[in-house]
Amino acid sequence: MGQKAKRTKSGSAWMHEHVTDPYVKKAQLDGYRSRAAYKLLDIDKRDQLLRPGMTVVDLGAAPGSWCQVAVQKMKKQGRVLAIDLLPMAQLPGVESLEGDFTEPSALVWLEEKLKSGRVDLVLSDMAPNISGVMLTDQARHYELCELALDFAMAWLKPDGAFLVKVFQGVGFEDFRAQMRLAFKQVHIRKPEASRDRSTEVYLLGRNPLEIESAAHDSAVTSLQE
Ligand code: SAM
């Protein structure tokens, strides 16, 4: 079978799955921008991550369903700072940047928004574009996860939390080990809306270890200098 025929077949399989997926339908009915909303809702139901008055940073936020969930759960009290490579339609209560989180400009934007305030929750649902070469894709993904972890360690409050999308396979155990060094508790979550056949899971780190949060003070000092 030629590449074009293969693509068409997998494209129509994807479309079939998409239109018959109960979470896609539910998202349309509930007014969420994507089915991903139910992943965060499910994790939040179990772990109670979102509360009014929080400061939340959402990395890889487009089209914006996690932001919608955050704003709702926070009862519109608090702040959501969102970044994505793709444009995202505005949402009340969300300050967003169309930009690449791996670029220094994204960090500058976040630092300017946060000033010296710390963050309660860092969310990263970032996923790079798939090249099809598994090892390359996994490596790119974990580069994003590590940057998000660095950001979380520099900016989280002592009782803060970091939720990050990862894919099991090459790199997973190394990254989980980094999470265990960084947080007092690390949990794996596989929300119901995450497709069974996907190796996607979420790692949740809670209570960053004291020693790491000192990084924040030096980051803020260097910004102020
Ligand atoms: N949580 C989102 C929601 O609920 O609507 C869905 C996120 S989607 C699965 C992953 C997103 O990560 C994509 O929109 C993609 O553009 C973004 N992304 C990938 N690499 C990125 C990067 N370097 N900087 C910012 N966003 C990135």
Side-chain angles (χ1 to χ4, degrees):
M1 199 192 294
Q3 280 303 319
K4 197 172 170 193
K6 263 194 224 161
R7 262 204 303 273
T8 311
K9 199 174 169 200
S10 67
S12 60
W14 180 87
M15 185 51 84
H16 176 75
E17 184 178 60
H18 186 74
V19 294
T20 55
D21 182 320
Y23 288 105
V24 171
K25 290 190 179 151
K26 196 162 159 48
Q28 285 161 356
L29 289 173
D30 292 345
Y32 288 123
R33 292 179 179 181
S34 91
R35 68 188 298 291
Y38 300 100
K39 300 180 191 176
L40 182 58
L41 283 166
D42 194 10
I43 296 170
D44 185 58
K45 192 172 172 190
R46 176 169 181 170
D47 293 292
Q48 291 167 359
L49 298 176
L50 291 157
R51 293 180 306 280
M54 294 178 102
T55 298
V56 176
V57 172
D58 185 358
L59 306 171
S65 71
W66 280 24
C67 288
Q68 290 178 293
V69 170
V71 168
Q72 280 168 4
K73 291 276 168 185
M74 288 158 59
K75 303 196 184 340
K76 300 187 180 164
Q77 297 161 43
R79 277 185 104 183
V80 180
L81 303 176
I83 292 188
D84 204 289
L85 288 171
L86 301 175
M88 189 172 106
Q90 283 199 338
L91 270 172
V94 177
E95 299 163 80
S96 62
L97 173 75
E98 182 183 331
D100 184 343
F101 179 64
T102 66
E103 294 291 326
S105 53
L107 204 55
V108 168
W109 180 80
L110 282 167
E111 288 172 349
E112 277 170 1
K113 291 281 171 194
L114 291 166
K115 307 272 187 246
S116 58
R118 291 201 184 210
V119 176
D120 297 278
L121 178 63
V122 175
L123 303 170
S124 174
D125 200 21
M126 283 189 288
N129 285 334
I130 302 278
S131 73
V133 182
M134 200 269 281
L135 283 178
T136 311
D137 290 337
Q138 284 281 101
R140 279 196 197 138
H141 183 80
Y142 280 106
E143 277 168 26
L144 290 177
C145 292
E146 282 171 16
L147 281 178
L149 173 60
D150 286 348
F151 174 80
M153 294 317 291
W155 287 90
L156 279 177
K157 292 180 181 173
D159 60 349
F162 173 49
L163 180 69
V164 57
K165 187 217 305 268
V166 292
F167 292 97
Q168 286 173 306
V170 182
F172 173 74
E173 285 304 337
D174 283 351
F175 185 69
R176 182 151 70 149
Q178 288 183 52
M179 289 282 288
R180 284 186 174 138
L181 288 175
F183 292 94
K184 286 187 192 143
Q185 295 96 28
V186 177
H187 309 286
I188 299 189
R189 299 290 181 244
K190 176 81 179 171
E192 247 185 58
S194 182
R195 293 182 167 111
D196 285 344
R197 63 171 165 71
S198 167
T199 59
E200 168 191 278
V201 292
Y202 290 81
L203 287 179
L204 172 62
R206 303 199 91 148
N207 302 304
L209 291 164
E210 294 277 328
I211 192 159
E212 296 288 344
S213 50
H216 168 271
D217 301 323
S218 53
V220 171
T221 312
S222 66
L223 189 73
Q224 286 166 345
E225 278 166 358

